[in-house]
Amino acid sequence: MAAPPRHSTMLSISNAGTSQSTGTDRTQVPQSSSPAQTSGLRVPSNRKTIYDRHLNRSRNAELSRASFAYLFGEMVTYAQRRVTGIQDLEKRKDTPSASVCSTYSSTAPPPPPPPLSPAPPPPRLPPNRPLRILSLLHLIHGPLWRLLFQRAADALEHSVSAETPNEYMITDNDPLVNTYISVPREMSMLNCAAFVAGIIEGVCDGCGFEAKVSAHNQPTEMWPSRTVFLVRFGESVMEREKVLERAGVK
Amino acid sequence: MSTQKASRIGEEIWKTRIDKVNAELVTLTYGTIVAQLCQDYDSNYQEVNKQLDKMGYNIGMRLIEDFLAKSGVGRCANFRETADMIAKVGFKIFLNVAPTVTNWTSDNNQFSLIFDDNPLADFVELPDDGRAQDELWFSNILCGVLRGALEMVQMQIEAHFVSDVLRGDDTTEMRVSLVRYIEDEMPPEDD
């Protein structure tokens, strides 16, 4: 897809690299537009930067689940030390994830075609950027969940109330992030899956759907850490949805 | 125990006994932690390094249990063996990388780990503020992990990064030095 521009960028950087003394000097390339070139960042002479790695390289890579649990646990502890209330704590957890997880939406599904182009859709790789709410939610419920947690989410529901047509719910019976976290009794309202809510929010944002996502405990006898992610789409999204429906966009 | 043998053990455990999770999830989670720290400490990178090291220390203290249980290896005969164990088994089973052990000092108390690949730093570019590349050690949590884990097995060490590809260096290198063996704090049931 983006191969030609990427490639030329790489070429021009490596040319620039050889014409300068390598090592500690700052690489400064005149007349350039790519972020790698305009920045004053130093890069290694063997070109191990994010611009040179294949986007899909780590797509199927795996790491130890324990490592994730340790990191996540540390993150929760850190957040806990710095806040006073539970709500604040949950907020703290989803804010950072939102910022990084907008990165996720750009790496997880392949780069989308230009948004809402009226021209016939280019016959390219099937997973395009979703335009409608439902296809977005299916993307989250299925592929995203499988990518992150190796299985699809357990349920996807639409609010039955006529007053809140903008509310959707994604249910996970046993969120991975809660597996290794034990919440003290006095904080039983806390759900560490707020982190995942942040991820969902980031993905929605990254796809151009303004939304607020929150995580709620809904334990059942069989699934004590069952969590419902409530997705509330913004006004603008709902309006656009109506327009797209009239236009017959899927 | 030879390096090759350690590699084989690491490989074997990684394949058979480790629960896996998507690598990008770990990478991005770590990224958020560092980003959040940078924000909380107002880009005071020295402070961020310190905090990462502290977090790593907490992780290391708990991780060693897991390491011993999964690997089933016994006590190392000397620090050289410890180094191989860290690089070829420890890093392998928790991060699926096996850094190279090299640059030993003649007294066998200091070595370097060279990382060809660092899953924590995938997708990362340090902030272009003229300071981050000189002050922030992005993967500093690993130093803390080693310090915490080894302390639990009676080794006081000091670890720090000396170069990082994210800073524009050609390699990512961590220097590890043995300070002392903690003899007097041996738990009674350990023989």
Side-chain angles (χ1 to χ4, degrees):
Chain A
M1 289 169 275
R6 244 179 88 86
H7 187 60
S8 60
T9 309
M10 277 159 64
L11 280 182
S12 61
I13 302 177
S14 49
N15 289 343
T18 48
S19 67
Q20 291 194 350
S21 59
T22 50
T24 51
D25 281 0
R26 293 200 155 201
T27 320
Q28 278 171 347
V29 187
Q31 314 148 353
S32 59
S33 56
S34 111
Q37 291 165 297
T38 46
S39 74
L41 288 172
R42 295 182 301 260
V43 291
S45 60
N46 50 6
R47 318 234 31 83
K48 278 191 189 171
T49 69
I50 43 172
Y51 302 108
D52 300 286
R53 76 188 277 281
H54 196 276
L55 245 190
N56 282 343
R57 194 189 68 180
S58 58
R59 212 181 147 81
N60 295 313
E62 288 184 314
L63 279 182
S64 153
R65 188 177 300 176
S67 308
F68 173 71
Y70 288 126
L71 285 178
F72 187 67
E74 248 348 278
M75 178 154 94
V76 173
T77 320
Y78 170 78
Q80 198 179 348
R81 249 181 304 164
R82 293 179 69 105
V83 293
T84 43
I86 292 169
Q87 288 209 319
D88 197 15
L89 176 53
E90 289 195 343
K91 205 192 304 161
R92 272 193 80 89
K93 274 203 261 65
D94 62 15
T95 32
S97 59
S99 61
V100 160
C101 292
S102 46
T103 324
Y104 219 117
S105 56
S106 59
T107 55
L116 296 178
S117 57
R124 281 203 287 197
L125 294 172
N128 284 327
R129 187 175 69 90
L131 304 177
R132 298 286 302 272
I133 286 182
L134 257 189
S135 49
L136 170 74
L137 289 172
H138 277 297
L139 174 78
I140 294 173
H141 172 269
L144 179 73
W145 229 260
R146 265 195 295 275
L147 183 72
L148 292 174
F149 311 120
Q150 278 87 47
R151 60 180 174 83
D154 294 293
L156 172 59
E157 292 157 278
H158 188 193
S159 165
V160 284
S161 159
E163 281 149 41
T164 54
N166 63 334
E167 292 189 356
Y168 291 82
M169 284 154 285
I170 299 174
T171 309
D172 192 326
N173 285 341
D174 191 15
L176 171 76
V177 292
N178 285 0
T179 314
Y180 303 100
I181 304 274
S182 61
V183 178
R185 193 177 295 270
E186 69 271 17
M187 296 172 78
S188 59
M189 287 288 291
L190 171 71
N191 191 333
C192 292
F195 180 64
V196 180
I199 295 181
I200 300 175
E201 197 171 308
V203 171
C204 291
D205 260 358
C207 293
F209 290 78
E210 169 212 352
K212 288 266 161 280
V213 185
S214 49
H216 304 273
N217 289 318
Q218 299 255 300
T220 62
E221 211 150 280
M222 205 175 146
W223 304 107
S225 65
R226 181 166 174 269
T227 300
V228 173
F229 300 98
L230 181 62
V231 185
R232 270 186 236 112
F233 288 103
E235 276 305 312
S236 60
V237 177
M238 298 313 287
E239 270 167 37
R240 189 179 64 196
E241 183 74 2
K242 278 182 206 139
V243 175
L244 288 176
E245 186 166 8
R246 275 200 296 275
V249 176
K250 288 254 165 61
Chain B
M1 190 184 289
S2 68
T3 312
Q4 287 79 15
K5 188 161 176 223
S7 306
R8 269 205 310 280
I9 295 180
E11 199 66 52
E12 181 64 25
I13 301 171
W14 169 256
K15 279 198 198 123
T16 56
R17 266 182 259 169
I18 302 291
D19 285 337
K20 313 281 199 324
V21 71
N22 181 298
E24 293 182 352
L25 180 64
V26 182
T27 305
L28 292 177
T29 303
Y30 183 66
T32 36
I33 294 178
V34 181
Q36 183 70 37
L37 286 174
C38 289
Q39 200 185 327
D40 286 352
Y41 288 101
D42 233 353
S43 298
N44 178 349
Y45 297 118
Q46 267 87 14
E47 208 44 56
V48 175
N49 290 339
K50 220 183 282 172
Q51 191 64 39
L52 283 173
D53 184 80
K54 225 185 269 175
M55 287 178 156
Y57 180 76
N58 294 339
I59 292 177
M61 287 201 298
R62 284 172 289 139
L63 171 141
I64 187 73
E65 256 339 296
D66 196 11
F67 170 80
L68 293 173
K70 289 220 172 80
S71 66
V73 295
R75 182 173 289 275
C76 297
N78 51 45
F79 199 51
R80 274 186 173 261
E81 211 177 290
T82 309
D84 281 341
M85 208 45 95
I86 294 169
K88 307 298 177 195
V89 185
F91 275 100
K92 179 70 193 176
I93 66 182
F94 289 107
L95 284 182
N96 193 21
V97 292
T100 314
V101 181
T102 178
N103 295 345
W104 281 96
T105 49
S106 54
D107 60 0
N108 282 336
N109 277 346
Q110 262 185 50
F111 65 90
S112 291
L113 292 170
I114 312 268
F115 296 84
D116 283 332
D117 218 358
N118 178 3
L120 293 186
D122 268 351
F123 314 119
V124 175
E125 180 178 65
L126 296 183
D128 186 14
D129 58 3
R131 295 193 299 117
Q133 276 203 320
D134 298 317
E135 297 170 15
L136 179 65
W137 292 111
F138 184 84
S139 309
N140 214 38
I141 199 164
L142 296 177
C143 298
V145 172
L146 282 192
R147 190 162 61 85
L150 290 180
E151 190 174 304
M152 290 292 115
V153 286
Q154 283 82 47
M155 266 171 270
Q156 192 186 339
I157 60 137
E158 195 279 324
H160 60 271
F161 276 99
V162 288
S163 66
D164 189 340
V165 288
L166 293 181
R167 289 186 169 207
D169 301 318
D170 281 347
T171 53
T172 301
E173 175 177 349
M174 188 203 286
R175 194 85 188 134
V176 183
S177 2
L178 176 67
V179 179
R180 67 189 178 107
Y181 285 99
I182 311 170
E183 298 288 355
D184 42 350
E185 287 170 40
M186 290 248 263
E189 71 274 4
D190 198 341
D191 35 10

